[in-house]
Amino acid sequence: LVNVKFRNSTQGFGKIFVSEPALVVGCSSCYLLQVETGDLGDVYKIRVSCDDVPGFEGWHLKSLHLEELHTKQGLNFHCNCWFTLNGEDKELVKEFPAVTEDQKTLPVYKYVVSVHTGDRWGAETFANVYITLYGKRGDSGVRKLHTSLTKGRKFQRNKVDSFLVEAVSLSDLQKVVIGHDGEGYGAGMYLKMVTVKESQDSDKEWVFPLWNWLDTHLGLCETVCEIVTV
């Protein structure tokens, strides 16, 4: 299942779920779909994701074209990337900015998201951890933190794990929502903070402090929380 979301400046996201194309063009690599939606407004980016189903080895998306049938107004999105958990990115969610002649194309950043696990007994977790970044220009969508840039097992006591989250520029970050799925024995996690940089070379950093448990029985008694920047 492919999930496509369109982001505009006023109404948020519109969704299209693609499981079976309405019309397959006479080419194995090109699909034409006709779907009915409400007014999408001024779309400035799309988010495409794939389900991680058994047997899925990857999908290469070259480009995407969005056209309103009545007005013939269209938008192009240059993609040229793989959706796979086997490559370097190990990512099944990606964003692409709209390419138009009259507006500047928004940059795409690989945000460096660092998760600081606390120094307490039982602070580590083996659960799957997810995060959403929120900025003045929308959000990143829910992202699973797959592969740490830091060596060793993820989310261990007194450890900092860094991850790359690729997204169309969110402008200044305002908050994050982070949590885990509770999988595994003792899934609760003691989280000191989350820090985010716009790129690996950037000096600007946003800090989201928590110093609390993400656990069903300790601290907040919640496995998901919202943290605003300081």
Side-chain angles (χ1 to χ4, degrees):
L1 179 66
V2 177
N3 174 18
V4 182
K5 294 185 177 181
F6 304 91
R7 179 85 200 190
N8 62 47
S9 57
T10 58
Q11 301 176 16
F13 269 108
K15 298 181 182 179
I16 294 177
F17 297 98
V18 182
S19 55
E20 294 183 6
L23 175 62
V24 181
V25 181
C27 172
S28 61
S29 62
C30 182
Y31 294 88
L32 177 64
L33 300 99
Q34 182 175 322
V35 294
E36 293 184 3
T37 70
D39 183 9
L40 294 177
D42 296 325
V43 175
Y44 64 87
K45 74 175 182 180
I46 60 169
R47 182 181 306 142
V48 182
S49 63
C50 298
D51 285 352
D52 182 18
V53 296
F56 177 73
E57 296 182 356
W59 173 51
H60 184 268
L61 178 61
K62 182 178 180 181
S63 63
L64 192 147
H65 178 76
L66 175 66
E67 182 176 300
E68 208 287 319
L69 292 179
H70 298 292
T71 64
K72 301 300 181 182
Q73 292 182 331
L75 288 174
N76 292 309
F77 301 90
H78 299 161
C79 309
N80 196 30
C81 67
W82 282 93
F83 291 79
T84 179
L85 294 179
N86 300 320
E88 294 183 1
D89 287 346
K90 296 184 186 296
E91 184 59 78
L92 297 178
V93 183
K94 290 183 179 290
E95 292 191 348
F96 309 100
V99 179
T100 61
E101 295 181 355
D102 56 345
Q103 292 184 348
K104 183 179 179 180
T105 303
L106 293 172
V108 177
Y109 292 123
K110 287 190 175 182
Y111 291 92
V112 182
V113 176
S114 297
V115 178
H116 302 244
T117 306
D119 187 15
R120 293 196 178 189
W121 185 87
E124 66 279 352
T125 186
F126 297 98
N128 295 305
V129 178
Y130 299 83
I131 196 168
T132 306
L133 311 179
Y134 291 85
K136 291 183 178 179
R137 194 183 290 120
D139 63 82
S140 66
V142 179
R143 305 296 184 95
K144 182 179 178 180
L145 300 178
H146 287 286
T147 306
S148 175
L149 300 177
T150 311
K151 292 183 178 180
R153 189 181 293 273
K154 296 182 295 185
F155 311 123
Q156 296 303 289
R157 178 176 175 175
N158 200 31
K159 185 170 183 279
V160 179
D161 288 287
S162 297
F163 305 83
L164 297 180
V165 174
E166 185 176 297
V168 174
S169 173
L170 299 168
S171 189
D172 289 329
L173 298 187
Q174 299 171 322
K175 66 179 182 180
V176 300
V177 173
I178 187 170
H180 61 78
D181 59 7
E183 291 293 321
Y185 175 77
M189 175 187 191
Y190 188 81
L191 178 65
K192 289 197 297 187
M193 69 184 76
V194 175
T195 56
V196 182
K197 287 186 174 183
E198 204 166 57
S199 69
Q200 291 178 294
D201 299 325
S202 175
D203 293 327
K204 187 172 185 179
E205 183 178 67
W206 292 274
V207 179
F208 304 89
L210 182 63
W211 298 93
N212 214 328
W213 289 93
L214 295 176
D215 192 290
T216 54
H217 304 293
L218 295 172
L220 301 172
C221 294
E222 298 284 351
T223 58
V224 180
C225 72
E226 177 182 297
I227 316 172
V228 296
T229 188
V230 293

